[in-house]
């Protein structure tokens, strides 16, 4: 059976809390602590597992936080290849301010990985990947990681007959030279690569179509917050509105989007269905507090209900069925 294999170069132990109000120069009393495995690819693996896919997570792990990260991943029933590294795994911290209903997210940079440690990650990818797999490279790169890291990973996947999906802000230019199956960008990243602000959806769609035509890329996925998303390919472009929900936390929503997309594409769905499935996975995670990911039944319900929504009738928040 084909698998979704995730490669995370800079994973994190995600810690989230709630507090009455975030104020400067004061000791803040926190409650509702949560600790979950995190980092782009790790979250993609967690989400894809919840959606019923066979998954494997490949990531570096160092120190006590690395041990905790690996243990939490294994507790979720996710197969993994944890590459032992010298430096400690980073943490990421999120605080929810109940007074303002704002979320404050702090991401540490992580530690530099040595050449042999980076090589071990890529070697694990090469030994595990098989024809028909989908390999997802996701998240930031550790400090001083060579810019061609994702390009090297994409080359390995391609040589094995797998499809490489990339969701990152580091090393994407080099990876595009190598060639990708799918690249995912959000609205801030879209303006950065375009060099200007693009009106949604017309200018964004035009840019996306041209981008796919002029790069070694099969699909470009763009997400635009409350405006929804689109998938551009050489055969055209499909768009879908976001699914309006009451937001509890944004942690993991983008990774859930990628997981929903890849799971749907792997089972043979068309781009329109895959986009709807990805947006439903993101919306379901937005509804969950802290670092908690979605409930799979909620994704199915939201995906079905998404067919009923349009931008004109999406003003009222979605109320989950109980």
């Amino acid at each position: 059976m084909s698998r979704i294999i995730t490669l995370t170069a800079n994973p994190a132990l995600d810690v989230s809390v709630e507090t009455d109000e975030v104020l400067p120069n004061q000791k803040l009393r926190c409650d509702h602590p949560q600790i979950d495995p995190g980092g782009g690819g790790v979250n993609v693996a967690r989400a894809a597992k919840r959606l019923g896919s066979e998954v494997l997570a490949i990531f570096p792990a160092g120190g006590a936080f690395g041990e905790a990260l690996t243990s939490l991943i294994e507790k979720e029933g996710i197969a993994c290849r944890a590459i032992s590294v010298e430096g400690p795994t980073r943490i990421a911290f999120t605080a929810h301010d109940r007074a303002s209903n704002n979320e404050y997210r702090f991401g540490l940079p992580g530690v530099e990985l040595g050449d042999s440690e980076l090589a071990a990650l890529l070697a694990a990818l090469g030994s595990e990947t098989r024809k028909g797999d989908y390999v997802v490279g996701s998240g930031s790169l550790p400090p001083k990681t060579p810019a061609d890291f994702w390009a090297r990973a994409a080359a390995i996947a391609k040589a094995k007959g797998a499809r490489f999906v990339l969701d990152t802000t580091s090393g994407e230019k080099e990876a595009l030279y190598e060639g990708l199956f799918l690249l995912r960008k959000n609205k801030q990243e879209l303006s950065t690569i375009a060099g200007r602000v693009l009106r949604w959806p017309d200018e964004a769609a035009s840019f996306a179509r041209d981008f796919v035509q002029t790069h070694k890329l099969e699909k470009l996925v763009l997400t635009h917050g409350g405006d929804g998303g689109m998938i551009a390919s050489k055969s055209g472009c499909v768009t879908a509105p976001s699914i309006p929900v009451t937001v509890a936390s944004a942690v993991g929503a983008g990774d859930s989007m990628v997981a929903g997309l890849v799971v749907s594409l792997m089972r043979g769905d068309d781009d329109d269905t895959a986009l709807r499935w990805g947006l439903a996975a993101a919306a379901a995670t937005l509804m969950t507090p802290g670092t908690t990911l979605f409930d799979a039944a909620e994704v199915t319900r939201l995906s079905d209900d998404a067919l009923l929504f349009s931008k004109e009738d999406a003003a009222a928040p979605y109320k989950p069925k109980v």
Side-chain angles (χ1 to χ4, degrees):
M1 178 181 292
S2 296
R3 294 185 295 181
I4 294 174
I5 299 176
T6 66
L7 180 60
T8 312
N10 200 22
L13 196 63
D14 279 349
V15 179
S16 68
V17 297
E18 294 185 15
T19 189
D20 288 335
E21 187 174 8
V22 175
L23 296 171
N25 306 315
Q26 293 190 31
K27 181 181 289 186
L28 304 177
R29 303 295 180 182
C30 301
D31 52 33
H32 296 97
Q34 292 177 241
I35 301 178
D36 287 297
V42 169
N43 277 334
V44 171
R46 296 173 64 209
K49 175 71 173 179
R50 292 180 182 217
L51 293 174
S53 288
E54 292 292 325
V55 300
L56 172 71
I58 301 173
F59 56 91
F65 290 154
E67 292 179 5
L69 174 75
T70 304
S71 177
L72 288 170
I73 292 171
E74 291 174 340
K75 283 182 179 179
E76 293 194 25
I78 297 170
C80 64
R81 286 280 301 272
I83 306 303
S84 179
V85 296
E86 183 176 351
T89 296
R90 68 189 177 112
I91 61 171
F93 183 75
T94 301
H96 178 243
D97 180 333
R98 285 188 286 258
S100 65
N101 198 32
N102 285 325
E103 188 173 69
Y104 296 86
R105 301 169 66 178
F106 305 89
L108 278 68
V111 297
E112 181 180 350
L113 298 182
D115 291 342
S116 62
E117 293 170 336
L118 292 170
L121 285 173
L122 295 174
L125 179 65
S127 67
E128 293 286 355
T129 304
R130 301 289 183 269
K131 183 177 181 179
D133 288 340
Y134 281 66
V135 177
V136 180
S138 181
S140 61
L141 291 176
K144 299 183 181 180
T145 299
D148 68 348
F149 177 81
W150 294 124
R152 293 161 65 191
I156 291 169
K158 186 164 58 175
K160 295 285 186 174
R163 291 172 168 172
F164 194 80
V165 175
L166 186 60
D167 181 15
T168 188
T169 57
S170 310
E172 61 190 27
K173 182 178 179 181
E174 290 77 9
L176 282 166
Y177 287 141
E178 178 62 40
L180 301 172
F181 170 67
L182 185 150
L183 176 67
R184 182 251 176 179
K185 297 273 99 181
N186 63 30
K187 61 182 179 181
Q188 291 87 5
E189 296 161 355
L190 172 62
S191 297
T192 299
I193 62 174
R196 58 191 173 93
V197 176
L198 300 173
R199 288 197 303 268
W200 188 272
D202 294 341
E203 287 186 355
S206 177
F207 173 83
R209 287 193 296 266
D210 290 344
F211 194 88
V212 170
Q213 294 292 337
T214 55
H215 290 79
K216 296 169 69 175
L217 177 67
E218 291 191 36
K219 299 179 190 296
L220 176 62
V221 176
L222 303 178
T223 54
H224 207 257
D227 290 322
M230 66 177 62
I231 299 179
S233 67
K234 289 179 171 59
S235 60
C237 186
V238 298
T239 63
S242 62
I243 304 169
V245 296
T246 300
V247 177
S249 171
V251 177
D255 301 324
S256 297
M257 164 73 176
V258 172
L261 278 168
V262 174
V263 168
S264 183
L265 291 169
M266 177 176 265
R267 66 190 180 202
D269 293 340
D270 59 21
D271 286 354
D272 186 66
T273 302
L275 179 59
R276 180 163 51 90
W277 197 255
L279 291 171
T285 291
L286 288 171
M287 296 167 63
T288 61
T291 53
T292 304
L293 296 185
F294 58 74
D295 177 81
E298 202 65 56
V299 175
T300 300
R301 188 177 300 127
L302 285 166
S303 178
D304 291 341
D305 289 352
L307 294 174
L308 305 176
F309 286 119
S310 67
K311 293 197 175 190
E312 287 73 28
D313 62 15
Y318 174 80
K319 300 299 183 182
K321 299 173 185 176
V322 295

